[in-house]
Amino acid sequence: MGEVVWLGRYPVKSMGGEDLIEARLDASGVVGDRRCALIDEETGLLASAKNPRRWRALLSMAARYEPDGCVVVTGPDGEQIHTGAPTANSALSRALGRPVRLTDTLPQDASMERLTPPTERGAGTMTHSSLAAGTPGNTFVDFAAVHVITTATLDALARRHPGGRMDPRRFRPNIVVRLDDPAPFAENTWQDQTMTVAAHAEIRIVAPTPRCAVPTLAQGADLPDDPAVLRTAARLNRVPVFDLGKLTCVGAYGAVQREGPLRIGDRIMIAA
């Protein structure tokens, strides 16, 4: 048992997002979450900060989802870019210093580059990965529809790395929950269980969430680069994920089992 203490969504992949008081789950996740992405005109790949050598600047931008479904991006210089405007692609390209185009349709063969972080085998190598393998619909999530983290896990990381800021935004979850039992990394044990939120929405937990380089990168104006974030997580929590072996994980991926509302303060229950 526990309660929801934070909600977030990220309307454009790898950009900063929004803190929410309430949200709604549909089959593809939080409504408005990862609904758009940028495509690199030169390579045809999706732009993702998982390749920080090329796309870390995405994290200096922020996006918000409007009630009418429009997405508005705030550039690093404060420029407001309305994604439906005819000049949106040129403005985004100018801000990133590279030709890009915005899309709200997931290409059939969508893939992105991912830099293997220093905590994992093959550190420093670049691989290609597909998107949304565990999610129905048209969304740009990495794997599953929802990402959940507990406050106990964030607190455990903060205790081990007191000089850092374990702000939930570093890990880009949708839901942060405070459990009545404060044991950290409880998310590791939730696979194949169901999180029920306020007796309405249901999220089936799929697997612990493997971490990439993104939590170590500067995000917005108040979260600086911090390579120790991932090293700290690796010291505390390396667990098996599917057939991939042991990986550094923080949080859990979930699939939407029943649609419904989410609100700060909602009670949650996790059960088989």
Side-chain angles (χ1 to χ4, degrees):
M1 299 289 291
E3 68 173 329
V4 175
V5 297
W6 188 89
L7 294 168
R9 68 180 168 202
Y10 315 87
V12 179
K13 185 168 186 60
S14 282
M15 290 186 187
E18 306 171 274
D19 296 0
L20 304 173
I21 300 300
E22 59 183 9
R24 183 169 183 82
L25 281 183
D26 64 18
S28 296
V30 172
V31 171
D33 186 51
R34 275 91 167 190
R35 290 311 197 253
C36 298
L38 300 180
I39 295 179
D40 185 342
E41 292 280 35
E42 293 182 5
T43 66
L45 298 173
L46 291 178
S48 168
K50 290 179 182 297
N51 176 3
R53 295 170 181 170
R54 180 167 291 173
W55 297 114
R56 70 167 58 225
L58 286 169
L59 293 169
S60 68
M61 309 172 80
R64 70 177 187 269
Y65 185 80
E66 299 287 283
D68 62 0
C70 179
V71 173
V72 179
V73 172
T74 302
D77 61 355
E79 179 185 7
Q80 299 280 298
I81 303 169
H82 292 256
T83 58
T87 58
N89 288 338
S90 59
L92 290 164
S93 299
R94 185 169 60 253
L96 292 165
R98 191 173 179 87
V100 295
R101 59 184 166 86
L102 187 86
T103 182
D104 59 3
T105 301
L106 182 68
Q108 186 172 1
D109 57 349
S111 66
M112 60 188 175
E113 292 178 317
R114 181 183 189 275
L115 182 69
T116 304
T119 55
E120 309 302 333
R121 182 182 301 176
T125 59
M126 196 73 70
T127 61
H128 284 200
S129 58
S130 58
L131 280 80
T135 306
N138 184 43
T139 182
F140 292 90
V141 296
D142 289 341
F143 175 65
V146 183
H147 180 208
V148 184
I149 292 179
T150 67
T151 57
T153 291
L154 295 173
D155 290 345
L157 293 169
R159 285 193 299 271
R160 182 62 71 92
H161 178 35
R165 283 192 60 202
M166 296 301 171
D167 188 300
R169 292 173 297 159
R170 280 204 181 277
F171 302 94
R172 302 175 67 79
N174 299 113
I175 305 172
V176 179
V177 298
R178 180 183 294 118
L179 299 181
D180 297 343
D181 179 353
F185 303 108
E187 303 96 315
N188 297 341
T189 68
W190 293 350
Q191 190 164 341
D192 297 325
Q193 297 189 60
T194 297
M195 173 185 291
T196 303
V197 183
H200 297 297
E202 293 182 354
I203 299 164
R204 189 72 170 174
I205 303 301
V206 177
T209 305
R211 305 315 315 195
C212 62
V214 169
T216 71
L217 303 177
Q219 300 187 36
D222 58 343
L223 288 179
D225 285 327
D226 189 351
V229 169
L230 207 56
R231 294 197 297 268
T232 302
R235 286 195 294 269
L236 292 178
N237 198 52
R238 287 181 61 80
V239 294
V241 180
F242 300 131
D243 59 352
L244 303 175
K246 288 187 175 181
L247 298 172
T248 302
C249 293
V250 178
Y253 280 133
V256 178
Q257 190 163 276
R258 185 169 68 180
E259 300 180 15
L262 305 171
R263 295 182 183 87
I264 299 293
D266 279 351
R267 293 294 291 175
I268 64 111
M269 181 174 67
I270 299 167

